[in-house]
Structure formats: C-alpha cells, structure tokens
Amino acid sequence: MHAKDIMSRPVHTVRADEPVAGAVALLEREQITAAPVVDAHGRLVGSISERDLLRRSAGPAADTPGTRVEDVMSGLPVAGWPDTDVADIAKVMVDQGVHSVPIVIDEHVIGIVSRCDVLRTIMPTDDTAMREAQRRLTEYAGGQRRWTVAVTGGTAVVSGRFDSGTERDITMALVRTTPGIDTVSTADEET
C-alpha cells in the first residue's frame, strides 16, 4: 500500500505567520498532536507540535506578545509523496520519532499519514478492513455504492448485483486483496 491509499485529508495546516495562539487552538480543536506549517503560498515550511509549544512555554520569552508560529515551529519535517510505500513511512516514524508524515506534491501538502493510519494498515480490525474494502468497491463503481461489504473475523461477505462474471471477479479480487480480509464470498453463496 502507498501513502495515497491511507492518508487523511483535508489536512489541518497552520500558516507560519499566524500567532502561536492560533496553532494551539487548532491542535486542541482537532485533537491532534502536530500540524504542518505552510507559507503564504501553501508550501510546506515546517511543523508545529505540542512538544514545540511546551518547549516554548518553558523558555524565558514564553509570554512574549506577537510570537508567531515560525518562531516556535520545528524546521522542515520529514515528508512523503503519494506513492511512498507505507512500510517506508512506518520506518521513518520509528527512526525519526514523528507521529505523522505530511504527504506533498510540489511542496504543497495534500494529505497526512499518522501512526494510527499506519497501524490500521498493518494490524487491521474487521471495521478498518470493511471500510477499506467498501472504499475500493465504491471507487471501482465510479463513486456509486453498488455493493456492500460486511466483515467478521477476517471473512468478508459482499452483497449486491453483478452485471457480469467479469465484474463479479474484479469485485471479489478488490475485496480479497484488502488487508485484514482472509476469505470472501457473495451473499448468495452464504445461503
């Protein structure tokens, strides 16, 4: 799997020239531990985390009025691209001790992969497997929800009508190759 398959979007970013209070409010409101920092043109220039803010609050100029995000942020973060392999992102997270990796195209943040996103991929639950399988089928059907998937104990059951044997085979392959799914059948095979 690649970053584009598991990244979250839209991404909550903060501008470098914004007051620090805005970054604090964003982290609290969205219940996230860090956010990418962008410049006036939307290009990735850094990141700001709870750790950065705590380090700043313990410093001698903690209450300095006019403190901007750029005064507190960490430098350019580790970033990935849409086709970066999830295993490579996991390795970066462990090696660099980061909680999330922004995904960029031409220096613009288009998504973000968190530790939870990676864990759902390598240790999927029935719910995460079902959501991913359903996403794949809906995408294959051009955005329509023609089939539904139920997953229990790694076994998926697909409900819905197939227009051809080829369509059925493709649909079953999309579900069978979803992480966390061991076996797949159609609802009519269950009866």
Side-chain angles (χ1 to χ4, degrees):
M1 292 190 80
H2 299 99
K4 64 185 174 190
D5 300 319
I6 67 167
M7 68 184 185
S8 298
R9 56 185 151 182
V11 182
H12 302 290
T13 61
V14 64
R15 291 255 314 251
D17 57 359
E18 183 175 329
V20 168
V24 172
L26 173 73
L27 298 182
E28 288 177 358
R29 182 179 64 249
E30 300 302 329
Q31 298 181 356
I32 54 179
T33 59
V37 178
V38 297
D39 66 13
H41 303 288
R43 292 182 301 240
L44 182 65
V45 295
S47 70
I48 190 159
S49 67
E50 293 171 330
R51 181 180 178 186
D52 296 323
L53 294 165
L54 288 172
R55 187 173 53 235
R56 176 67 178 194
S57 68
D63 296 324
T64 305
T67 302
R68 303 274 173 215
V69 169
E70 60 197 351
D71 301 324
V72 179
M73 71 181 195
S74 296
L76 200 58
V78 174
W81 295 266
D83 289 325
T84 303
D85 191 274
V86 171
D88 293 333
I89 291 174
K91 182 173 179 1
V92 164
M93 288 177 167
V94 170
D95 292 350
Q96 300 292 321
V98 295
H99 293 260
S100 58
V101 174
I103 306 304
V104 298
I105 293 178
D106 296 329
E107 301 178 41
H108 290 82
V109 181
I110 62 158
I112 195 159
V113 175
S114 70
R115 287 181 178 179
C116 286
D117 296 327
V118 172
L119 286 174
R120 279 192 292 270
T121 302
I122 54 181
M123 297 174 58
T125 64
D126 285 345
D127 285 344
T128 58
M130 180 186 69
R131 282 193 300 274
E132 174 59 18
Q134 189 66 60
R135 183 195 67 76
R136 290 175 178 202
L137 294 184
T138 301
E139 185 176 289
Y140 172 64
Q144 298 177 358
R145 193 172 175 138
R146 292 185 52 203
W147 307 281
T148 58
V149 180
V151 180
T152 306
T155 299
V157 178
V158 179
S159 301
R161 188 175 141 285
F162 302 101
D163 292 337
S164 68
T166 301
E167 185 177 73
R168 180 191 180 284
D169 292 345
I170 291 170
T171 300
M172 300 303 276
L174 288 169
V175 174
R176 187 178 305 107
T177 58
T178 301
I181 295 180
D182 302 316
T183 58
V184 62
S185 62
T186 61
D188 60 347
E189 294 172 335
E190 290 285 300
T191 57

